[in-house]
Amino acid sequence: MQCDYFDRGVCRSCTLMGQPYGDQVLDKEIRTRELLRDAVDAAGGTGSVEWLPAITSPESGYRNKAKMVVGGTVQRPTVGILDHRQRGVDLRHCGICTPGIQRALPVLADFVADAGLIPYDVAARRGELKFVLVTESPDGELMVRFVLRSEGQLPRLRERLDDLRRVLPEAVVVTANLLPEHKAVTEGDREVVLTDQETLPMRFGSITMHLRPQSFFQTNTSVARQLYDQTSAWIDEVGPASMWDLYCGVGGFALHAARPGRAVTGIETSREAIRSAKQSAREAGLTDVRFAADDATEHALRARSDALPELVVVNPPRRGIGETLATWLEESDVEHVVYSSCNPVTLAKDLARMPSLRLRRARVLDMFPQTGHLEAVTLLSRR
């Protein structure tokens, strides 16, 4: 992939830009294999691990979510990042974003100017509009979120909503997120939905997941689909009668692995994500699937020994599941674990804490081309 922003030194976020794509994937696979091999050795493991071929992605146009800093002036806003002086750098034609987002960003930049929304000046701590967050569904629909410092420009956004929908009809969900604090985060706690529609449907075959504004979803749609297919195939192979999906988000793993007679429980701290997961299960008619808002580790620690599932799926953030949950899994009677990780370093640390669970299969998925990040999914079974 070639990127003018990278070539001009304007943006270096994609650290592997210019490196042949095949080399990128091979390097990620080698690094992950080495980390997991060392973890298995440290745990006193034996036996071979079946490594499936890496799942690749389109090199460009893959990212279904754009988090763009708004800078510049009311007349000439920028959407992109900030430079070392905290000034706006415009990246409205970023090539790793999906085609729908690439079409939307220039329209949104023009809308910011036409509506008179005041970009937030980080250095001066003045202004209102901090970020524009855009997510595209597999059907080409968009969720657009304006992150504001205060309610001051909410009336203007409401007044101009019809204008936005006219120039960007794909925007089926539009919200304002309020972030009054001056700190290095992307969004605040309060969300004001401006459209009648509150969720962005993410259709994956027979399963439709409903994405709410503050819910997590995998950023690469094509690779996420293959991730769900792979984990579901492994789960069907071992055939558990019961399973937990910890850190379930909007329920991707749980919904795809649900089968008649299989009791499935999804656990996630975000109440908005759980609302979405429950809606998806209800629409799909999945009566054996339940979701609850709870901390994954606390849920496991409170569980009765006679109520444990046969299989547990974990999909934690970059920090991994940590020592407490890994130790609980190690000492439990859970027979199988499917661990999906966006950080092979913490994945390896967690696997080393669970020597009774043998690493049977592993696969690298290139969820983030042009960067050093990746997704790795593993199947573990008790020795």
Side-chain angles (χ1 to χ4, degrees):
M1 175 185 171
Q2 185 272 333
C3 174
D4 290 338
Y5 297 125
F6 186 88
D7 293 344
R8 299 201 313 267
V10 171
C11 174
R12 292 300 174 95
S13 300
C14 294
T15 55
L16 303 183
M17 188 67 69
Q19 181 176 337
Y21 183 60
D23 293 347
Q24 293 183 32
V25 176
L26 180 60
D27 288 347
K28 293 178 184 183
E29 191 166 19
I30 291 173
R31 175 160 53 96
T32 305
R33 286 188 181 220
E34 290 176 345
L35 285 166
L36 299 198
R37 183 189 63 217
D38 291 345
V40 171
D41 291 345
T46 58
S48 61
V49 177
E50 180 185 359
W51 280 91
L52 281 72
I55 290 176
T56 58
S57 163
E59 294 184 43
S60 61
Y62 69 84
R63 189 174 177 88
N64 62 27
K65 183 174 184 177
K67 300 179 180 181
M68 306 305 257
V69 181
V70 180
T73 64
V74 177
Q75 296 77 21
R76 299 185 65 183
T78 61
V79 289
I81 58 175
L82 298 179
D83 66 12
H84 66 286
R85 295 182 182 179
Q86 304 297 303
R87 298 175 303 187
V89 175
D90 198 90
L91 302 177
R92 67 182 68 184
H93 301 293
C94 176
I96 67 169
C97 294
T98 57
I101 292 178
Q102 290 187 46
R103 290 190 296 270
L105 290 177
V107 176
L108 288 167
D110 290 342
F111 173 78
V112 168
D114 294 342
L117 302 178
I118 306 169
Y120 183 68
D121 185 326
V122 173
R125 300 194 179 192
R126 291 197 303 265
E128 288 295 322
L129 181 58
K130 295 184 175 184
F131 298 91
V132 172
L133 312 178
V134 189
T135 304
E136 184 178 14
S137 78
D139 294 332
E141 294 179 330
L142 300 176
M143 176 189 292
V144 179
R145 303 170 63 204
F146 296 91
V147 182
L148 304 172
R149 185 174 69 161
S150 72
E151 297 184 19
Q153 297 209 291
L154 257 179
R156 184 165 296 181
L157 262 180
R158 292 185 189 277
E159 292 169 5
R160 300 298 299 270
L161 180 61
D162 289 342
D163 295 335
L164 175 60
R165 299 290 298 276
R166 185 166 53 253
V167 296
L168 195 63
E170 302 92 340
V172 297
V173 181
V174 180
T175 76
N177 177 274
L178 299 179
L179 178 60
E181 300 88 357
H182 179 86
K183 58 183 181 181
V185 296
T186 308
E187 60 188 47
D189 295 330
R190 185 180 169 199
E191 197 88 24
V192 180
V193 180
L194 304 176
T195 48
D196 292 335
Q197 186 169 325
E198 297 183 354
T199 68
L200 183 66
M202 307 294 283
R203 296 181 178 88
F204 282 60
S206 62
I207 298 296
T208 297
M209 290 168 281
H210 290 273
L211 186 63
R212 294 180 186 273
Q214 299 193 41
S215 300
F216 168 79
F217 195 82
Q218 300 284 1
T219 57
N220 189 321
T221 301
S222 65
V223 175
R225 182 179 287 110
Q226 295 177 82
L227 173 62
Y228 295 141
D229 289 345
Q230 178 63 84
T231 56
S232 296
W234 284 348
I235 292 169
D236 286 344
E237 179 185 325
V238 299
S242 58
M243 63 167 275
W244 289 353
D245 179 6
L246 302 183
Y247 312 93
C248 71
V250 295
F253 293 105
L255 294 166
H256 282 83
R259 301 289 184 270
R262 178 179 295 164
V264 179
T265 299
I267 300 297
E268 165 64 44
T269 57
S270 168
R271 295 188 178 277
E272 288 297 291
I274 290 299
R275 284 181 63 199
S276 298
K278 288 180 176 180
Q279 180 179 348
S280 299
R282 191 165 53 246
E283 290 180 357
L286 300 174
T287 57
D288 292 329
V289 180
R290 62 175 290 270
F291 293 96
D294 198 358
D295 177 81
T297 301
E298 292 301 319
H299 174 81
L301 294 177
R302 287 197 308 268
R304 302 192 320 269
S305 58
D306 62 347
L308 299 187
E310 296 175 22
L311 181 144
V312 172
V313 176
V314 291
N315 182 34
R318 290 189 58 81
R319 65 178 180 272
I321 64 174
E323 182 176 1
T324 302
L325 183 53
T327 301
W328 180 87
L329 283 167
E330 165 67 13
E331 295 175 351
S332 74
D333 292 328
V334 172
E335 287 295 320
H336 308 280
V337 173
V338 174
Y339 193 140
S340 182
S341 169
C342 61
N343 186 350
V345 174
T346 54
L347 170 61
K349 289 180 180 178
D350 288 334
L351 295 189
R353 294 170 173 139
M354 299 184 290
S356 295
L357 289 158
R358 181 174 68 86
L359 177 60
R360 292 177 52 194
R361 298 203 180 113
R363 194 167 200 179
V364 168
L365 303 95
D366 192 21
M367 191 78 74
F368 315 97
Q370 315 307 331
T371 78
H373 299 295
L374 60 92
E375 190 83 12
V377 62
T378 60
L379 172 64
L380 316 173
S381 294
R382 196 161 294 282
R383 299 181 187 279

